Amino acid sequence: MWFRRVPVVAAAAVAAAVRGYGTGGGRRLLLRQLFEPSSCSYTYVLADVSTGDAVIIDPVLETVPRDARLLRELGLTLRYAVNTHCHADHVTGSGALRKLLGCRSVISRASGARADLLVGEGDELRFGAFALRARASPGHTPGCFTWVLDDASAAFTGDALLIRGCGRTDFQQGCPRTLYRSVHEKIFTLPDGCLVYPAHDYNGQTVSTVGEERRFNPRLTLSPDDFVTLMEGLNLPRPHLMDVAVPANLRCGIQDDVA
Ligand SMILES: N[C@@H](CCC(=O)N[C@@H](CCS)C(=O)NCC(=O)O)C(=O)O
Ligand SMILES: [Fe+2]
């Protein structure tokens, strides 16, 4: 049975509370997908089970107490609070988590937002024996990044690629042609089995794979020109929190003492 192969770990609290899965080299990854219902947002906690070092991706302000409690219960040390992009529909929790737990906030330089760490193509965030690698995937916004686990088993795609969908391109300097190129060049080039974890889902889905999206995504399987036509005709209503969320997220969720 799988749990017989779990190595003895240094952090006892982590060992007691966490069921990680092996990713080769004797490492054990903890991965939790968390949901915020009012914006249909996903937040992800990733941690090295052995060391307790953790990263959170796309935290939401309203669910910071829940997420901080989970991190504490599992005995994890939060190193980074990462935003895949400057969100338009909710205020990020990265500023609040930084104040509460002393982690570093992270976003791309191209986002134009403030954070402790501004990243670019190929940058890495290490947590224990694991790393997340940054792939620029602009188009939904110019500063969108996809974060890929170092063994390419999982990609956190933000709003660039959603399950059977993609981020809209009608605000925040979005560009459908750029998004099409990003998804095809930066995400669809990952292995077929790479798990796709998006920042939102509006249809009750939780995870997909690169292979599935390459075959079945109704938008990204179109030709580039048809994709542009479709995206330009979506006529979606503006996110109701946009005027609050964008200014707050340009400050990484209200934190005034960073560059
Ligand atoms: N109704 C929601 C906003 C929904 C929305 O616009 N979602 C964005 C992603 C967040 S910026 C999107 O790209 N959706 C793509 C789509 O095809 O729906 C609200 O009011 O918050
Ligand atoms: Fe977005």
Side-chain angles (χ1 to χ4, degrees):
M1 290 164 73
W2 73 268
F3 52 80
R4 294 217 172 110
R5 294 199 301 273
V6 174
V8 176
V9 297
V14 180
V18 165
R19 292 153 51 108
Y21 66 80
T23 62
R27 307 181 301 173
R28 287 214 166 264
L29 179 76
L30 170 126
L31 171 56
R32 291 288 165 87
Q33 184 183 49
L34 301 154
F35 189 60
E36 195 292 303
S38 70
S39 59
C40 294
S41 295
Y42 286 126
T43 297
Y44 300 93
V45 171
L46 291 91
D48 181 325
V49 173
S50 298
T51 66
D53 294 299
V55 173
I56 195 163
I57 299 177
D58 287 335
V60 177
L61 184 59
E62 283 76 7
T63 39
V64 161
R66 174 199 67 189
D67 300 350
R69 187 181 329 116
L70 178 68
L71 290 160
R72 256 196 301 271
E73 285 169 352
L74 299 184
L76 302 175
T77 305
L78 188 63
R79 301 290 177 200
Y80 301 106
V82 185
N83 290 293
T84 52
H85 64 294
C86 180
H87 297 279
D89 61 332
H90 64 273
V91 177
T92 173
S94 55
L97 282 167
R98 177 181 181 272
K99 280 195 186 128
L100 209 57
L101 302 176
C103 62
R104 302 180 78 196
S105 56
V106 183
I107 199 165
S108 76
R109 199 168 293 113
S111 70
R114 296 161 64 187
D116 295 310
L117 197 56
L118 299 175
V119 296
E121 179 72 20
D123 284 352
E124 276 190 5
L125 294 178
R126 306 204 68 82
F127 55 107
F130 293 90
L132 284 165
R133 296 207 177 102
R135 287 191 179 202
S137 45
H140 170 62
T141 73
C144 285
F145 267 65
T146 291
W147 288 91
V148 181
L149 199 58
D150 51 16
D151 62 358
S153 61
F156 301 86
T157 55
D159 293 354
L161 181 63
L162 305 178
I163 298 171
R164 307 298 193 266
C166 64
R168 61 198 289 175
T169 52
D170 58 336
F171 54 56
Q172 289 183 294
Q173 302 91 49
C175 171
R177 220 165 271 284
T178 304
L179 180 60
Y180 189 91
R181 197 176 324 115
S182 289
V183 173
H184 279 263
E185 292 179 4
K186 297 296 189 65
I187 301 175
F188 284 178
T189 48
L190 289 163
D192 265 12
C194 177
L195 296 167
V196 169
Y197 288 108
H200 298 283
D201 190 84
Y202 304 103
N203 303 301
Q205 303 226 59
T206 54
V207 63
S208 183
T209 66
V210 166
E212 246 181 78
E213 293 308 313
R214 207 191 285 120
R215 288 174 64 202
F216 303 123
N217 189 297
R219 296 184 183 174
L220 275 310
T221 47
L222 297 172
S223 70
D225 286 345
D226 287 348
F227 178 76
V228 171
T229 305
L230 176 98
M231 295 306 287
E232 286 177 348
L234 283 180
N235 291 320
L236 296 168
R238 274 163 60 92
H240 63 284
L241 278 183
M242 187 160 173
D243 294 337
V244 173
V246 173
N249 292 336
L250 286 170
R251 296 157 62 201
C252 235
I254 319 299
Q255 57 171 66
D256 293 313
D257 51 346
V258 295

